[in-house]
Amino acid sequence: MVAASGSSRDGWSSRSAFILAAVGSAVGLGNMWRFPAEAGANGGGAFVLFYIFCVLLIGLPILLSETLIGRYGQASAPESVRKVAEDSGKSKHWDILASFGVLGAFLVLSFYCVVGGWVLYYIGVFAQDLLATGITGGAFEGRPSGDIEALLPDLFGNAGLMVGLHVLFIAITFYFVARGVSSGIEWVATWLMPAFFALFLAITIYGAFTGAFSEAVSYLFTFDASKLTGAVMLAAVGQAFFSLSLGVAGMMTYGAYVGRNVNLAGTSGIIAGADTAVALLAGLCIFPIVFAAGLEPNGGPGLMFQTLPIGFQSMPVGSLVGLLFFVMVFFAALTSSVSLMEAPTAWLKGKANLARPAATLIVTIAALLLGILAALSFNTMADFQPFGFIPLFEGQGMFDVLDTVTSKILMPIGAILTALFVGWIAERRLIDAENGLTGGLEKFWLFLVRWLCPLALIIILIVGIFPSILGE
Ligand code: TRP
């Protein structure tokens, strides 16, 4: 009944390989770009505290549920769900929850690689600047800060470059996913994640000494209850899900490659803890530099790509720090994009009985084409708003549509169904044997999965689709 590990199936070579790969999936643009932007746009401390609360009470229980389903099934996400359902004597059609997920991962992949392309662009710009101004100077020495702020809109305006960088980023992702789990995805995680952490700590410590560290700490950790509005809470939950790679079958897919001897509860705790630590540290890396340059924290999506580079300008050795910063973000983004590509690839491979490289290629080409539409929505196709007649998508080009569909609809639905499935549908005996929890902790987890997660997520889904309910 239970699939044996250690068969000829490709899988992680060790528990630490799984942890690195799963942390690699979780830690990405979500931590470095989205978290500080969201925290800054939502007033700092109130958002951060509620975010931690969401990770612990909603994110972590779902993360355990997803890895558990994957490990039990040892197959692509929909097949794993079907196996759990059938072995519990329930309808196999529950696999729809993971089919939504696979679709969601595919859609996220398409626009994630567009942003990955921007990161590649900044690596190029900072490398050029380092060569031009030398190692000792700040970034873009002697140039007005307006030039730096213009980098992003200039890139957006250049349709050919946007598309080219997107294609380059997705091609790199393709290369590693096509090589397989143990020799491609695991290789990326075991080399790039340690490199990421080393660069990240170095830059954060350097920034702490040269920047406005204490100002950043008080901004991120001073809790002001009046700032905790419904919109802020909604943003925090959405961010927690995106950052933990939940709701779109990513962690189910990775869980399928985990050996039977691994304790999933403990491992999930490590993954969630590492991801949250990186998000908080990203705030402590970025805001001191931003504050030291006297800039505002609420730059939103422009925080990492515009505000921070201006901060690098007034920082000693700023051009080198800037280059290393974007190299590090690239490492984090790549370990996430391979996980986003792996979910649909594993599904297609099983469904159509294809060899891995062929399945990966088909997924890549489809995501590449969709991503081109997303890239062009910043320039030549800005007016192409195919879903603009629906209030939720009013005024949105393809990039924003993909973001909204995945984060406001597919992720919450995937997570609600996962929680209900594990909490109420799957047979207790089967869940108990997999989760690695005992006693009171197990009861608490079950309570969260049965009640708190579905209820909280249903509210999030409804308010996300009809924001006017909040009346803010
Ligand atoms: N968690 C990643 C990040 O923070 C993004 C990501 C990777 C993701 N895999 C995922 C998001 C699966 C949702 C689902 O950048």
Side-chain angles (χ1 to χ4, degrees), residues 25-31 112 242-246 248 336 339-340 411:
S25 167
V27 170
L29 293 168
N31 304 60
Y112 202 85
F242 186 86
S243 192
L244 289 172
S245 306
L246 295 178
V248 295
S336 297
S339 89
L340 286 164
M411 280 187 200

Side-chain angles (χ1 to χ4, degrees), residues 223-250:
F223 181 67
D224 173 357
S226 69
K227 287 193 177 152
L228 193 61
T229 62
V232 169
M233 289 192 220
L234 198 63
V237 192
Q239 173 59 23
F241 267 72
F242 186 86
S243 192
L244 289 172
S245 306
L246 295 178
V248 295

